[in-house]
Amino acid sequence: MRLRVNPLLLGWGLGILGLVALAGLWVLLVPPGPKELRIAAGQRGGAYAATAEAYAAALRAQGLEATVVHTDGAVDNLALLRARRVDLALVQGGLAGTAAPAEARERDEGLVSLGSVFFEPAWFFVQAGMPAVTRQALLGRRIAVGPEGSGSRALALALLDANGIPADQVTLLSFVGMRAATALLDGEADAAFFVSAQAHAPIAALMRVPDRARLVDFAPWADAYARLLPYLTPVTLPRSGFSLAEDLPEADVRLLAPAAYVAARADINPQVAALVAGVMRRTHADRQGFAAEGRFPAILNQELPVQPDARRFIERGPPLLQSWLPFHWAVFIDRLLVLAVPALTVALPLLRFAPPLWRWSVERRIWRRYADLARLEGRVADPDAPLDDAARQEVLARLARLEARVATMTVPHAFLHRIFTLRRDIAFLRRQLARQA
């Protein structure tokens, strides 16, 4: 049995399959952007919280719902991101990726960085009478480093470890903020460690009593620390940089600074990554306390892989569509452009078959009428069953109906000659019937 394939049905089938394939690509290859972003922001009143609030306001202006999630600090931010409970997190340099302990690196494999946004210097204060800050001088000391899981505690432990000082050979105090500053001034602690982008109240309180508390100058060891801990960048607090009126400090002080960065999951929508990079630029491009104008956002000592779209934005500027269109329109058009190649791949073969299919569909309508005429002609010309008057009248009536049907057919001009030929053949058969009568 010979299988006959209807070209028209084949064309429709290919077209439907193509549309289904494009719909699948639309969903799988270019997922739509999210409608909401959750940002882990650290403690209320801190630099991270202020930064997250600025991000949220800018994202809302682009039509995205943005929620700021307050936490206990940078370590907590990173934990929430690992648990997929937030979409973005402000993270202190040195806590994730290559700088993290081996057991944490596996958890960070699905994370990326969108770029660094500001320096967070380590402010290490000791009692004024304490000798030079060396390994021997620190052994057995009481040091306020912040609570368990805080970014300041993590950095303090890394610095102690770089000096070969095990954590069990010093007394680590969980004091934070003004409590740590007060403990140092009251003799309850020998040193206090802060990590902050600004000289907030506890740091300011200690800076103003240089006869009781001394800010450690890391200048002699800055390069060595930066070599051992690559996420640290030496920065300078210039003379009178804290207060020109009070001439504080009285000389340049070299500090060690990790760079805070924005972390996200590796499956972040590419357009969202570029959008957040743009928000970071508008928020941090101005001059900062320890960075010149335009220094941030930056690709700086990244311990996580940098998301490609964020890298392109930082290095080359915003995508063209986002420069001219609102975010959601830019995402929609970008999805269409991504689908252009597979769409053309599907459409070109269909376009190649379209003209033959179109001609076949028109000719098929004409040949169906020819088939009707051929059946009538076979009955008229059958020598074994000559027509009587009644049969002849029936054939004439069927010819009349066929001719009326042909007369109402609408076909392109290129096929009109086929219609005229068909009508001529109908007239020819009618004449044969007249001769037989």
Side-chain angles (χ1 to χ4, degrees), residues 15-37:
I16 293 173
L17 286 176
L19 291 176
V20 171
L22 289 177
L25 291 173
W26 176 270
V27 174
L28 297 176
L29 295 184
V30 199
K35 296 182 179 179
E36 180 183 8
L37 291 177

Side-chain angles (χ1 to χ4, degrees), residues 6-190:
N6 188 319
L8 187 60
L9 292 179
L10 178 61
W12 277 106
L14 291 175
I16 293 173
L17 286 176
L19 291 176
V20 171
L22 289 177
L25 291 173
W26 176 270
V27 174
L28 297 176
L29 295 184
V30 199
K35 296 182 179 179
E36 180 183 8
L37 291 177
R38 293 171 59 83
I39 310 171
Q43 297 179 349
R44 297 179 185 274
Y48 283 8
T51 299
E53 292 291 353
Y55 290 176
L59 291 170
R60 292 185 193 113
Q62 291 288 334
L64 283 173
E65 288 295 326
T67 303
V68 175
V69 180
H70 293 285
T71 69
D72 292 332
V75 174
D76 200 13
N77 291 353
L78 189 58
L80 290 179
L81 186 63
R82 287 169 176 158
R84 304 183 72 87
R85 293 171 57 188
V86 296
D87 304 291
L88 303 173
L90 285 154
V91 180
Q92 175 185 302
L95 297 182
T98 56
E103 63 274 10
R105 294 175 195 167
E106 295 182 3
R107 301 199 301 271
D108 296 337
E109 287 182 356
L111 304 182
V112 293
S113 169
L114 304 185
S116 302
V117 289
F118 52 79
F119 285 126
E120 290 186 285
W123 308 73
F124 190 36
F125 289 91
V126 296
Q127 292 184 353
M130 187 174 173
V133 183
T134 60
R135 181 178 184 277
Q136 293 301 321
L138 290 175
L139 287 173
R141 297 288 185 172
R142 301 160 299 169
I143 308 174
V145 295
E148 195 74 43
S150 65
S152 60
R153 190 185 190 97
L155 181 56
L157 289 174
L159 294 176
L160 290 172
D161 183 66
N163 280 279
I165 303 175
D168 58 1
Q169 293 189 17
V170 294
T171 301
L172 300 177
L173 306 176
S174 298
F175 303 152
V176 65
M178 287 302 300
R179 178 70 179 90
T182 302
L184 179 63
L185 295 177
D186 292 345
E188 192 177 350
D190 300 305

Side-chain angles (χ1 to χ4, degrees), residues 15 71 76 97 104 276 305 333 340 345 362 366 372 418:
T71 69
D76 200 13
V276 174
I333 294 176
T345 303
V362 176
I366 299 173
D372 295 339
R418 303 283 183 87

Side-chain angles (χ1 to χ4, degrees), residues 174-251:
S174 298
F175 303 152
V176 65
M178 287 302 300
R179 178 70 179 90
T182 302
L184 179 63
L185 295 177
D186 292 345
E188 192 177 350
D190 300 305
F193 192 84
F194 308 90
V195 177
S196 175
Q198 301 173 342
H200 55 20
I203 295 173
L206 296 176
M207 289 291 296
R208 288 194 166 94
V209 286
D211 56 326
R212 300 173 61 190
R214 175 168 62 89
L215 177 61
V216 174
D217 183 3
F218 284 97
W221 314 283
D223 292 339
Y225 277 116
R227 180 168 168 268
L228 290 172
L229 305 173
Y231 54 86
L232 294 179
T233 301
V235 297
T236 299
L237 177 65
R239 175 173 180 170
S240 302
F242 170 72
S243 173
L244 189 62
E246 301 171 81
D247 192 23
L248 294 175
E250 297 180 353

Side-chain angles (χ1 to χ4, degrees), residues 268-327:
I268 185 173
N269 182 280
Q271 290 283 355
V272 172
L275 175 66
V276 174
V279 170
M280 290 160 53
R281 172 172 290 184
R282 291 190 292 274
T283 305
H284 303 289
D286 294 340
R287 182 179 178 83
Q288 302 178 14
F290 293 93
E293 181 178 359
R295 180 70 174 85
F296 289 105
I299 308 300
L300 177 66
N301 301 334
Q302 297 299 305
E303 57 208 40
L304 293 175
V306 181
Q307 204 278 342
D309 297 271
R311 178 185 289 274
R312 279 193 292 270
F313 188 101
I314 292 172
E315 294 177 349
R316 307 176 192 174
L320 181 61
L321 291 176
Q322 287 194 20
S323 301
W324 298 96
L325 296 172
F327 171 70

